[in-house]
Amino acid sequence: QEELVESGGGLVQPGGSLRLSCQVSEDIFSRYTINWYRQVPGKQRVPVATIMTSGSTSYDDSVKGRFTISRDGVKHAIYLQMNNLKPEDSAVYSCGAHGPRNYWGRGTQVTVFS
């Protein structure tokens, strides 16, 4: 059973930054597309950023220009750099790996407060 482990969440004021990390296995890193998702209570989990094994990236319009997804081939980690955070960015952020199978992390809480 593959495991995805997120870290880096926390409390931040509007306009602040956080960097989330998703630690994966070498197999997942080399063969799977990784999405960062966020979910607020009572709503569905939605993808905010995607990175493919080629390195191609895409973003939801709500985070474009503020969030950056990247990957580190040495550490087998996928990052989500979040800048200029807004209160509406508050959510549980999780990573998902998509390929021959789907795997999910448990998530990390991000709270943006005034």
Side-chain angles (χ1 to χ4, degrees):
Q1 179 68 29
E2 294 284 357
E3 185 178 45
L4 282 63
V5 181
E6 302 95 338
S7 61
L11 301 173
V12 64
Q13 291 186 329
S17 298
L18 285 173
R19 189 178 80 155
L20 306 182
S21 298
C22 175
Q23 189 67 47
V24 302
S25 69
E26 181 177 3
D27 181 61
I28 283 184
F29 187 89
S30 63
R31 299 202 297 145
Y32 285 67
T33 293
I34 305 293
N35 287 351
W36 277 102
Y37 296 84
R38 64 185 180 190
Q39 186 174 23
V40 297
K43 293 192 176 180
Q44 287 190 331
R45 178 169 49 194
V46 296
V48 296
T50 299
I51 190 162
M52 303 180 71
T53 55
S54 65
S56 270
T57 60
S58 60
Y59 300 91
D60 184 80
D61 285 345
S62 65
V63 305
K64 208 171 283 185
R66 300 188 298 122
F67 290 12
T68 303
I69 190 171
S70 61
R71 42 193 259 140
D72 184 326
V74 174
K75 297 182 179 179
H76 300 145
I78 294 85
Y79 304 107
L80 186 67
Q81 177 67 43
M82 305 186 295
N83 298 329
N84 190 23
L85 282 160
K86 304 175 181 180
E88 54 263 42
D89 293 319
S90 297
V92 174
Y93 285 74
S94 59
C95 53
H98 307 291
R101 300 183 65 177
N102 293 318
Y103 298 100
W104 301 94
R106 294 185 178 184
T108 185
Q109 177 70 47
V110 171
T111 302
V112 186
F113 70 102
S114 298

